[in-house]
Amino acid sequence: MMHRFLAVAILSAATLAAQTAAPSQARKTVSKAASAKIWSTPRTPDGHPDLQGIWSYVTATPFEKPGGSGAYIYAQEDSANPVGGYNTLFFDTVQRGPKDRPTSQVVDPPDGHLPPLTPAAKKRQALFAEKMMRPATGPEDRALYERCIVGFNTGPPIIPGGYNQNLQVVEAPGTVALYTEMIHTTRIVPMDGRPHGTLAQWNGDPRGHWEGETLVVDSVHFKDQGTGTLLLPVPLDENLHLVERFTLLDDKTLLYQYTVDDPTIFTRPWSGQLYMSRSEDQIYEYACHEGNYAMPAILSGARLEEKASAEGLKK
């Protein structure tokens, strides 16, 4: 009898302990679920999602899925200079994280590779590569980022690369400003429903609106010499129609999505995306022109090459 009593007592104690622990565990589960629901999209005074702040678009996700051709015109240029430049010291590096799970920033086509170039774009690519490789007859022969006109990672669309990869978003009634660190370019986006203008601009003519929680920026009227996108196989042109989407996923994450439709460059539209992280750092002025010693050096070097060639012919 004593053994049976002890067994019953032990079983009863275990049951009581389980009943006592169950509400505690349930409270923990509810607490976690409740804390996960505490965050909600912050709002500006006019009720729209508040995307303001500085966002870093440094990423470990490659632009295209590994295994592609990688035949970039810029890669050809870099291969001729294996020593590298002083800029290497400032390159941003980051370890892959949970938001780098996509195998590429290009998400459409689904294989993660850019669509084929059109025949006209291939000719444009060859001409651009030839200009970049020969002695420059003038600054117009060099890339836009070398001339400090646009950045090489600022877009639009924004495609990460190199350094100074920060975007600041500022919202005001009827207007959104998108300020990129490289070349300190500011895009002023009217949000009041006005139609597009007719003036061609380096960063296009943007118009914005809200689709639910997402800021949509629709841009047309680009110049024919390309935008600030180093990783594309050929500069985009004046026929570009770009749609960008900015969505706040949580207090620290901004989802950036875009669709490129440039029928004279690519055989079909394509889309990309990346996650931007909120940064507590400041953005400092990128004084490109003030420190652009490369341009006079490139041009003076080209003139010396021409002089040496002419003297060689005389001999």
Side-chain angles (χ1 to χ4, degrees):
M1 289 293 292
M2 183 62 68
H3 293 300
R4 172 186 281 180
F5 175 78
L6 288 174
V8 171
I10 292 170
L11 180 61
S12 299
T15 302
L16 179 61
Q19 291 173 344
T20 303
S24 176
Q25 184 63 38
R27 282 195 297 272
K28 289 181 180 179
T29 303
V30 171
S31 177
K32 288 181 179 179
S35 63
K37 295 180 180 179
I38 289 176
W39 187 88
S40 60
T41 304
R43 303 283 170 180
T44 58
D46 56 3
H48 295 301
D50 190 346
L51 314 182
Q52 298 181 103
I54 296 175
W55 301 94
S56 168
Y57 48 90
V58 178
T59 182
T61 302
F63 179 56
E64 287 189 89
K65 186 176 180 180
S69 63
Y72 300 129
I73 49 178
Y74 302 103
Q76 297 172 13
E77 177 195 1
D78 292 340
S79 66
N81 182 19
V83 177
Y86 71 91
N87 297 19
T88 305
L89 175 67
F90 303 99
F91 281 173
D92 291 323
T93 57
V94 63
Q95 297 294 321
R96 287 184 68 84
K99 290 186 172 62
D100 294 308
R101 285 175 294 179
T103 55
S104 64
Q105 295 169 43
V106 175
V107 294
D108 182 46
D111 63 3
H113 296 291
L114 292 171
L117 297 176
T118 65
K122 291 179 180 178
K123 292 180 180 179
R124 179 180 174 91
Q125 183 183 43
L127 289 172
F128 187 86
E130 188 271 333
K131 285 200 305 183
M132 292 293 288
M133 296 300 294
R134 63 171 166 77
T137 58
E140 294 80 10
D141 280 352
R142 306 307 300 173
L144 296 177
Y145 64 87
E146 287 186 9
R147 298 165 60 191
C148 294
I149 294 177
V150 297
F152 57 74
N153 62 21
T154 60
I158 299 171
I159 301 177
Y163 49 90
N164 293 352
Q165 302 174 84
N166 289 292
L167 167 74
Q168 184 171 5
V169 180
V170 179
E171 297 178 47
T175 306
V176 170
L178 303 174
Y179 171 77
T180 46
E181 181 176 13
M182 187 69 79
I183 313 292
H184 50 270
T185 296
T186 303
R187 286 192 282 161
I188 303 298
V189 184
M191 302 286 291
D192 55 7
R194 72 182 68 175
H196 285 288
T198 58
L199 181 66
Q201 303 178 59
W202 291 112
N203 295 294
D205 182 49
R207 295 292 183 269
H209 64 275
W210 293 97
E211 289 183 1
E213 303 291 271
T214 298
L215 168 64
V216 180
V217 179
D218 185 295
S219 300
V220 294
H221 301 317
F222 291 85
K223 286 185 174 291
D224 64 354
Q225 298 176 53
T227 65
T229 49
L230 175 68
L231 286 183
L232 294 182
V234 63
L236 299 167
D237 66 10
E238 71 276 16
N239 296 308
L240 170 62
H241 177 198
L242 177 67
V243 178
E244 301 167 278
R245 290 178 168 82
F246 301 80
T247 308
L248 193 63
L249 300 184
D250 56 49
D251 188 53
K252 297 182 179 180
T253 311
L254 184 68
L255 174 61
Y256 174 64
Q257 300 168 295
Y258 59 90
T259 297
V260 171
D261 185 359
D262 194 336
T264 52
I265 300 298
F266 293 101
T267 54
R268 57 157 285 188
W270 59 275
S271 299
Q273 73 169 38
L274 61 94
Y275 297 94
M276 299 186 183
S277 302
R278 188 180 294 278
S279 174
E280 300 302 324
D281 294 335
Q282 291 180 275
I283 292 182
Y284 295 93
E285 180 188 11
Y286 185 73
C288 187
H289 276 295
E290 292 84 339
N292 190 13
Y293 301 107
M295 184 56 65
I298 289 171
L299 297 180
S300 60
R303 303 293 76 79
L304 288 173
E305 286 187 6
E306 290 173 351
K307 182 180 179 180
S309 177
E311 291 176 350
L313 291 175
K314 289 180 181 178
K315 293 178 181 179

